[in-house]
Every structure is written in C-alpha cells, then in structure tokens.
Amino acid sequence: MQINSQYEGEVKPYKADIQFTKQLEWMRNQVAKTDKKWKFVSMHKGDYSSGDNASAESERVEFYRKYLIPVFDELGVDMVFEGHDHMYMRSFQMLNNVLIKNVITDEHGNVLNPKGTVYLMGNSAASKFYALNPGADTFFAAKNDQPNKKMFMDVSITRDVLKVTSYTAVKDKPLAVYDAYSIKRTDVKPGIVENPSAVRQSANRAVLSWKAPASSSEPVRGYRIYEKNDKVSTNWSVYVPAVSGQTSYSYTLNGIDSAKAYNFVIKAVGIRSNSLPAEAGMQ
C-alpha cells in the first residue's frame, strides 16, 4: 500500500487532514479484504528518521507516531519503506512506538515470527546525501548511517521468508552488501468465525453478530468486518478487538440504506493474517 504522507494534521488538539483520514480508511479496508501473508507500506515522509529533517519536523513526526503507527500495528504491517531524509536507516521491530527486544532467530539468521514492524530508509535517491542529525533521538534505529554512496535495496519473498538486502553501488567497483535483514513467518490463518448474522433492527440500523472460532491453531486478536460490495460507503470496514474469554460478539451499524441489501464479511484476525471469510447477508 502506498500512501501520501504530505497529508497530516495537528497533535494538540487532534486535527487530521481529511486526506489523512481517508487513507487510513482505505488501508484498513484493503487489509480487511486481503488474503495475503505479507503487508508493506511505502511513504515519503516517515515516522522514524534521524537525518536533517528529524528535529525540524518534530510536530509531524509526533503526529505520525501518535496516529499512524497504531494503525500499522493494528494492520500487522511487516515493513514500511520511507524517504525524505536521504540516509540509510533500518529500525528494530517496532510496536506501539517501542522497540521489540530479544527477538528469536533461526540457524539462518532469520528473525522468527516477530511482533511489530520494520521501518526502512534506503538512501537511494541519487547522490543527495544528508548527515545524521546530532540532535535526533535514535532509540528506534538498529542501523543508522550515511555511507555517502549510491544505494539500492533488493526485496525477496519466498513462502515463509522475507529478506531485504541493501547494497552500495560505486562506479567500476563490485556491488557491496551494506545491510541485510530477514523475517521468517510460520504463523497461519486463524479458524473461521461461526454463526455470522446480520439483522436489520430498523430502517437505518443493523446488528452484526458472530461467535469466535470453535477451534483455531492461531490465537485470535480481533475481527475485521466489511461489506462485500462497498454498499455501506467507499472503503468502509471496522476492527473489533477480541476480549479474553469472550465467545459471542456483536457490532451495531448505523446509517445504512433501507432500500439496499447488504452482504457483510467477517474475518477472525490472527497474529498477522485474516481467517477465511464468513458471510452474513441482509435484505
């Protein structure tokens, strides 16, 4: 998913640009509908940076860390590719603006089923190089430097392994590996939700209900709901967090059209992936 991070807002009081809000709705809807294992976001201005712009735009950084990062966490985004500051930066696995410590690696160096998201800045915009900002807080950075060389990143994906290799490129010299990071995911889809139902309570209100999967090899952390044909509104979806010990769930939807028939889809959300869809029609 590629988003335009020129749109932002204010932190105190919270005021988001309408384009920022619409992009959040679009991302949530895309992830609700997808059956893909890996999830990527690319953007220009980023959440984590330590170059020339790190201090000068602290209000923007604060806004994105407060209002954009929680959405990436909710969606289970694996990697975010950033720009704007012309340097190389790879973050730790970040969740809730906190680095994940003590990750587990396998015999090949792959990080196994990590929580959170990795943020990458590739230093790949031609030959324009920024320096590390001495006033920046770099708590998030696993690798953070300016080699003053042109660079590019190779992203490769197999069934279970995502690997990023960053290279420096100097004329008349062999390519050199500058950094490499790989993730192995063995988590699977959770079980499908049971007894999905959509009941019209009035002309403009419906109640959606479902039960947690009777069995699931993957823990369920929440539920994603969307309308199959975008009849509620463009990019409408909702995320309902799971509650420990709770098996029955419901969601009240207001503002529907009394003249329309709807076909809702409910999916359980595992550590990263959605379950198979469970549909609930309503005339």
Side-chain angles (χ1 to χ4, degrees):
M1 299 175 287
Q2 185 160 0
I3 61 173
N4 186 342
S5 58
Q6 297 300 109
Y7 297 106
E8 48 198 63
E10 300 173 7
V11 177
K12 298 175 183 178
Y14 171 69
K15 182 181 179 182
D17 185 283
I18 186 64
Q19 297 299 328
F20 174 79
T21 302
K22 291 295 184 183
Q23 288 186 108
L24 298 189
E25 293 174 359
W26 174 76
M27 284 194 294
R28 285 183 163 120
N29 182 267
Q30 291 295 302
V31 172
K33 290 179 176 178
T34 191
D35 62 353
K36 304 304 181 187
K37 180 172 185 173
W38 302 100
K39 301 171 184 68
F40 303 89
V41 172
S42 64
M43 53 198 287
H44 181 62
K45 294 180 178 179
D47 310 274
Y48 295 109
S49 180
S50 51
D52 287 359
N53 294 299
S55 296
E57 298 184 345
S58 59
E59 290 186 2
R60 174 189 58 78
V61 171
E62 183 183 359
F63 179 86
Y64 280 131
R65 289 184 185 176
K66 189 168 184 178
Y67 298 110
L68 184 57
I69 284 175
V71 177
F72 292 160
D73 293 344
E74 173 193 315
L75 300 182
V77 173
D78 295 287
M79 285 190 175
V80 174
F81 298 99
E82 304 177 335
H84 197 43
D85 262 338
H86 296 236
M87 60 180 301
Y88 188 85
M89 190 282 295
R90 171 174 57 82
S91 78
F92 294 99
Q93 296 284 155
M94 300 296 295
L95 181 66
N96 194 28
N97 199 33
V98 175
L99 65 91
I100 303 297
K101 299 179 180 179
N102 303 320
V103 295
I104 300 171
T105 57
D106 65 11
E107 66 274 18
H108 302 294
N110 301 312
V111 180
L112 293 174
N113 299 321
K115 296 180 179 179
T117 303
V118 173
Y119 295 78
L120 284 165
M121 188 175 295
N123 202 33
S124 54
S127 56
K128 186 179 182 181
F129 303 131
Y130 290 0
L132 182 67
N133 190 327
D137 183 352
T138 60
F139 73 97
F140 50 83
K143 192 171 180 68
N144 195 36
D145 204 355
Q146 178 53 270
N148 290 300
K149 297 175 182 178
K150 294 182 179 182
M151 297 185 68
F152 67 93
M153 295 190 297
D154 176 83
V155 182
S156 65
I157 303 172
T158 62
R159 178 179 175 182
D160 295 329
V161 176
L162 161 65
K163 183 175 183 179
V164 176
T165 307
S166 299
Y167 298 88
T168 54
V170 179
K171 186 177 180 180
D172 298 327
K173 292 186 179 180
L175 293 176
V177 174
Y178 183 73
D179 186 32
Y181 188 79
S182 56
I183 296 171
K184 184 173 183 178
R185 303 220 68 92
T186 59
D187 38 48
V188 296
K189 292 179 180 294
I192 192 169
V193 304
E194 300 193 349
N195 302 328
S197 173
V199 178
R200 194 184 294 271
Q201 297 289 304
S202 65
N204 304 113
R205 186 176 68 214
V207 174
L208 312 178
S209 61
W210 66 95
K211 289 187 179 295
S215 63
S216 179
S217 57
E218 188 83 1
V220 175
R221 64 180 175 93
Y223 301 91
R224 294 187 173 116
I225 308 170
Y226 62 94
E227 205 285 322
K228 195 172 183 179
N229 302 298
D230 282 337
K231 290 184 178 180
V232 175
S233 62
T234 302
N235 293 323
W236 176 84
S237 66
V238 66
Y239 176 76
V240 179
V243 178
S244 178
Q246 183 173 327
T247 57
S248 296
Y249 291 84
S250 65
Y251 179 81
T252 300
L253 175 60
N254 295 302
I256 60 174
D257 189 332
S258 60
K260 291 182 179 178
Y262 295 87
N263 192 355
F264 296 99
V265 178
I266 306 172
K267 296 179 179 179
V269 183
I271 294 175
R272 309 298 281 194
S273 299
N274 297 332
S275 72
L276 294 173
E279 299 188 17
M282 185 181 70
Q283 299 300 314

